[in-house]
Amino acid sequence: MEYRILGPLELRSAGRPVALGGERQQKLLALLLLGTGEVVGFDRLIDELWDDPPQTARRQVCNAAAAVRRVVTRGGGRLTTSTHGYRLDLPDGALDADVFRSLAEAAETAAAQGVPEQAVGLLQKGLDLWRGPVLTGLASPSIDAAAQGLREQRLQAVERLAGLRLELGEVTSLLGELTGLVAEHPLRESLRATLIRALDRAGRRGDALAVFERGRQVLAEELGTDPGPELRGLHAELLRAEPVPAASGRSCLPFDIADFTGRGSEVDRVVRAVGARDNAVVTVEGMGGIGKTALAVHVAHRLADRFPDGRCYVDLRGFTADTTPMTSGTALELLLRQIGVPAERIPADPAARRDLWLAEVSGRRVLVVLDNAADAAQVRPLLPGAPGTVALVVSRCHLMALEGAVPVSLDLLPAGDAIALFRRIAGESRTDAEPEAVADVVALCGRLPLAIRIAASRFCRRPWTVAHLAEQLRDRQRRARAFTADDLSVAGVLALSYHHLDSDRQELFRLLALVPGADLDAHAAAALAGVPVPDAQDVLEELVECNLLMQRRPDRYCLHDLVRDCARDLADAAHTPSELDSARRRLFDYYLHLADVRGRRSLPGRRGFEPDLAWEPELPPSRSEEDDVRQLRAEYKNMVAVAEYASAHGWHVHAWQLPCLLMPYLTRVGQRSGVLELSRNALKAAQALGDRCGESMALTTIAFALREAGRHGEVLEFLDRAITISRELGDLPAAVGGLRDLGSALVQAGMLGDAARSFTEAVALARSIGDQRAEVNSTIDLGFVDCNLGRYAEADARFREALAMHQLDGYVGGEVVVLINLGWLAQLRGRDAEAVVALERAVRLSREIGMSRGEGIALAWLGVTYRRQGRIADALAAGREALESARRMDLREPEGDALNGLAETCLAAGRIGEAEALSWEAEELAMTGALPMVRARAHEGLAHAAARRGDHASARLHWERAVELYPDGAVDAENPRAHLDRPGALCMRCVRGVGSARPAVVREIASVG
């Protein structure tokens, strides 16, 4: 397989193009190709693929990756999934950009060895790989940046090739090419210089001078600058004169850091902003220690020759320890002196100084760096404002009130640049042997340049290994010492921003150190501080504006790790332990309350408990089930972090209640990763409290976590223990719920008879305590087992009894559940018209009450029924709507069912490739979500597609795999068995236009209730 990005994205195998799929798959592959050999994180992929990511973005990334994996695997590549993202590994020479770079490097080697002819051939071969602009038609921040970088590499190769050809005596053939290139890139001085040399060697000195003059005009008009030293020197040579020295004026800039590393895009943004306007103001903003001053000074030195009349620098002391910010009058005096105004001419009145400053810089080309600015009011009188002048303003605050300024915000260093900075300071000879430890150190430094510099400098002066340094940085107390050098410390630099806050802002900032999770919103912050939500929102926004908080997503806020250390030290100094525990309790209660309230709609009618709340905090509004799921999804990792903290620090109530309150959400979205450890901690906490109710709930949660791992024996054991405890406590509603869970586990284990007995007992127990809702739901469960056992009459009677009970008590959501089951049962009996009536009614009622989950599931099976009737267009529409609904709600099992149903419809429509792609998506989702029934059905779809293509060997393998994946006793296994036993047989998955006598299990339907 050949992977081509030097032009439109193109894959070729054996000389023929390979289809990839839609734009999202193409963009995902492009991002993976640009990061070949490195893990590309999920969060980065989401940010690159969407401007406004949907709630299902991660799932859609997984779906796209499944499609990409199928393509690259066939071509000898390898796409691996990790906990952080995806990594693409390709055979050597598979990517054209790598081949181009290798050829360019080989050309340089040949030139250095005195073989220019060979160098010319290698460069030309590399340039021949280009088919147009990089990744034409695909756009994202990383793709655009990479395309720009590759364009620059191509231009460098073009220039190098032209120079080599000129050395070999090629002149005439070069002139036409160079003239076109200069016209295409008029601001590229090195290309223009090569053209001037070629014209001079051709005896066309006048034309050469004209090309120089045109370049001078273009640079002046476009960038407001003069030609650089190379062009000026070449011009002087043409005139038979000595090269003109660069103009020089007074410079008060600090020295440029010799090991300045990275920040290429930010430097380019500042340079472009300076060159785009006759006079410019550029603000460089970011948190303390992020490298703002280093970047501003570096850019100032880079631009120095554009400002021959002076380069000024003033530290305004906006954030300096034990010092008040410099007044504008004092700063003006320093600026006037730096441009050569004698002290006796500088007036005492600040307004007069301002007037003199403006008069002195008028008509001059002056660059001013105003460092460490407190606010816009301090800076505004210092701006030169005259044409030809530029001000670079450095501040920890967002200077939004500075009119006309171009903001350049600095974020943390990218990992690669952070590692490069550490290695440059620490020494490559000592770091090359420990690349993993270097990465650890950089991560522990939070990719903050100041922290990296101090840690690397300390390392240089010690006989340590990098791993030893990393071990020191893992300990918070030792980390504080490691980030201190003489009178400079990371904590001290960060604390300067804190000391400029009002007292209420300072208090919330300190308390943010108590948050165990990665981020928070205004409601969590309000609970933490015990203040109204609008007040918390105002403080959070102010903390963002002064770069003490980061905002990676709308309305979500997070602390840098080293800022968190600073806040924690301040909190310990300012608050008593009881005050800090009270704040923690308010925050932890907020998450308990959120999990409780937002989980109620997920599994209505299930047993539960009232959480132990010291107070009832304000929750964000929710208008629908989607809002419930969205809020829980946003806070899930934070809730896990709270539960882990609670378990580790003896907060036993929160340690068991929070995981158990999350059960409806976990059940709804099929989330099981990490739940086992969480639920085991919950069990320990409940046992430590002697809380038998909590113990029962925790046992149920453990069983849920173990279920998809196929550890059926343990699942049944834990559920038996939970039910026993509930009976001992006299908590019969909980016992009913446990019996239902036990029945579901038995179904999954293929023990259908035992499951029927468990559900029957649940029905009887619910009836004995008068819990009609639990009785109805248990009846539906029992009907589900009847369907699997082929007892359709019994199932029909149970479903209709449940329907009547729900209609009697007016519970429309329950009616929807029963209608879906009745529609499914009608499908199994070959009564497709009856199924359509039930499922269409379920869809209509779901929409009336906003029950998106029921709507999506009903649509999925309605699409299946339409396909069985031969209504392919209707089936496609229903299937796509079901898939969209499942993804919007982030429901894994319904999404898998929708994918499989849509794949079956596409196959019936003759869209074999699309059907196969959907089945692979379902298979990928089922693997990551541990959904064996969905995965088995996906293999059925792949088998049908292979059979349609005439690949009967592959079809048989997929049908055999489906049989293996279905649990014992699952009637769905009869579908693949029919094909294995009788070639050419029809099953429920492939019939079109007629009913099917073969039953099939729809496992998701049972869990709706």
Side-chain angles (χ1 to χ4, degrees), residues 22 68 206 316 365 369 416 491 514 754 810 913 954:
V68 170
L316 298 175
R365 299 188 64 79
V369 179
L514 307 181
D754 290 336
S954 293

Side-chain angles (χ1 to χ4, degrees), residues 482-568:
F483 289 146
T484 301
D486 298 325
D487 61 343
L488 182 65
S489 72
V490 173
V493 168
L494 295 174
L496 290 173
S497 298
Y498 162 83
H499 290 303
H500 285 74
L501 299 172
D502 294 337
S503 59
D504 57 341
R505 270 69 173 155
Q506 289 181 339
E507 180 175 4
L508 179 54
F509 173 73
R510 293 191 301 264
L511 294 179
L512 290 174
L514 307 181
V515 177
D519 66 358
L520 81 167
D521 64 2
H523 286 79
L528 179 69
V531 300
V533 173
D535 292 352
Q537 182 75 62
D538 290 344
V539 176
L540 291 171
E541 284 298 319
E542 185 171 328
L543 293 175
V544 170
E545 289 171 13
C546 63
N547 284 294
L548 282 171
L549 270 185
M550 297 183 291
Q551 193 172 27
R552 302 300 190 196
R553 297 179 182 175
D555 299 325
R556 307 293 303 182
Y557 305 88
C558 59
L559 283 171
H560 185 277
D561 287 345
L562 301 185
V563 177
R564 185 189 300 273
D565 285 351
C566 174
R568 187 173 297 147

Side-chain angles (χ1 to χ4, degrees), residues 764-826:
L765 185 57
R767 185 176 295 139
S768 71
I769 61 176
D771 189 338
Q772 187 180 50
R773 181 70 57 81
E775 179 185 350
V776 172
N777 289 332
S778 302
T779 299
I780 297 171
D781 292 333
L782 192 53
F784 169 79
V785 176
D786 287 334
C787 286
N788 279 279
L789 295 174
R791 300 198 296 238
Y792 299 145
E794 291 91 331
D796 185 77
R798 297 188 198 281
F799 291 153
R800 296 193 182 280
E801 178 188 356
L803 180 65
M805 293 175 72
H806 279 317
Q807 289 175 336
L808 183 65
D809 68 9
Y811 179 36
V812 180
E815 185 178 350
V816 168
V817 172
V818 181
L819 286 169
I820 293 172
N821 280 278
L822 284 169
W824 167 51
L825 174 60

Side-chain angles (χ1 to χ4, degrees), residues 607-609 693 696-697 722-723 725-737 765 769:
R607 82 285 185 202
F609 59 91
C693 172
S696 174
M697 293 290 294
I723 294 168
I725 292 173
S726 296
R727 291 183 186 277
E728 290 174 357
L729 294 174
D731 188 354
L732 298 185
V736 172
L765 185 57
I769 61 176

Side-chain angles (χ1 to χ4, degrees), residues 961-995:
R961 184 65 177 133
V963 172
E964 293 172 2
L965 287 167
Y966 280 122
D968 293 341
V971 183
D972 264 352
E974 296 305 310
N975 290 310
R977 286 196 183 103
H979 288 281
L980 291 170
D981 293 342
R982 301 184 305 280
L986 287 178
C987 72
M988 286 193 67
R989 311 298 189 210
C990 57
V991 69
R992 169 183 171 178
V994 295

Side-chain angles (χ1 to χ4, degrees), residues 615-685:
W615 74 314
E616 191 170 300
E618 180 181 351
L619 299 181
S622 176
R623 295 176 297 276
S624 64
E625 292 178 83
E626 287 95 333
D627 284 349
D628 288 349
V629 173
R630 190 178 300 113
Q631 289 178 20
L632 290 171
R633 185 171 182 262
E635 299 292 0
Y636 176 69
K637 291 183 179 179
N638 293 325
M639 292 178 176
V640 169
V642 167
E644 290 174 343
Y645 180 95
S647 177
H649 294 85
W651 292 64
H652 297 313
V653 171
H654 295 83
W656 84 257
Q657 291 191 354
L658 190 51
C660 295
L661 286 171
L662 284 169
M663 268 298 292
Y665 169 75
L666 298 171
T667 302
R668 181 172 195 146
V669 302
Q671 170 72 40
R672 282 178 171 80
S673 176
V675 176
L676 183 58
E677 182 179 359
L678 200 65
S679 53
R680 281 177 170 161
N681 289 339
L683 179 61
K684 292 176 184 176

